[in-house]
Each structure stands twice: as C-alpha cells, then as structure tokens.
C-alpha cells in the first residue's frame, strides 16, 4: 500500500489544484495500482505542528511520509513516483 498525503488548508487555490492532480493521476493508473494507493489529507489550520512545518510551502504532497512536492504538483512526476512505489511494494512482497 502506498500513502499519498496532501497537506493544505481551506481556501488555498493551489491546494485545490493539487487535489485535482492527485485525482487525475489515480484515475489514469491501472486499477490494480490505483487501488493500492491511499490518499489522506490534512489541514495546517487543524494542526499547529503541521502549520509550523509547512505553512509557507502548501500544498505539500508526501508519498509514504517522504516529501514529493510543494507549491506545484506535476502529474507526470506523481504518476512516475506512484508507479515506482507500487513496483517497490510488489518487489518487497515477493521477497518476503
């Protein structure tokens, strides 16, 4: 399973755009890969620690907890990263 985390806030235009990019990329992935992705979203307005860490960089996108992008999210780059994460996950399952 791969987790994509979007950190933003209400009223943030770039956050809305990032959300749309994530939705678009997931819709374009093969169903088996898209089903292996969980998307979670957090607002810096609800979490002072997130606000302190990311307020000047929202939207922030993490993949499995690692920074993938901030400010602008590129669909092709996200798609590639999710495909690599899926391949790595499948390799890890086979080696168990």
């Amino acid at each position: 399973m791969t987790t994509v985390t979007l950190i933003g806030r209400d009223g943030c235009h770039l956050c809305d755009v990032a959300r749309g990019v994530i939705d678009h990329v997931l819709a374009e992935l093969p169903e088996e890969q898209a089903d292996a992705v969980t998307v979670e979203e957090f607002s810096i307005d609800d979490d002072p620690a997130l606000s302190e860490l990311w307020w000047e960089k929202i939207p922030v996108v993490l993949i499995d907890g690692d920074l993938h992008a901030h400010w602008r999210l590129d669909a092709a780059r996200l798609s590639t990263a999710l495909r690599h994460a899926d391949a790595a996950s499948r390799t890890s399952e086979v080696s168990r």
Side-chain angles (χ1 to χ4, degrees):
M1 209 55 173
T2 301
T3 301
V4 174
T5 305
L6 173 61
I7 301 170
R9 72 182 314 174
D10 287 339
C12 166
H13 170 72
L14 289 179
C15 300
D16 294 339
V17 171
R19 190 176 301 109
V21 169
I22 292 168
D23 290 345
H24 172 76
V25 167
L26 290 178
E28 294 294 315
L29 286 176
E31 186 175 337
E32 185 176 283
Q33 287 179 334
D35 287 346
V37 176
T38 299
V39 178
E40 54 186 23
E41 192 168 339
F42 298 101
S43 173
I44 63 170
D45 293 332
D46 299 332
D47 186 329
L50 285 178
S51 181
E52 185 175 324
L53 187 60
W54 298 114
W55 71 271
E56 64 187 12
K57 294 189 178 189
I58 63 167
V60 173
V61 176
L62 310 175
I63 297 178
D64 292 332
D66 295 324
L67 179 63
H68 173 74
H70 59 85
W71 295 321
R72 302 249 182 224
L73 181 60
D74 180 78
R77 185 170 172 259
L78 177 61
S79 179
T80 298
L82 292 178
R83 290 175 191 270
H84 284 128
D86 181 66
S89 172
R90 290 178 193 283
T91 301
S92 149
E93 287 176 12
V94 169
S95 66
R96 287 185 198 171

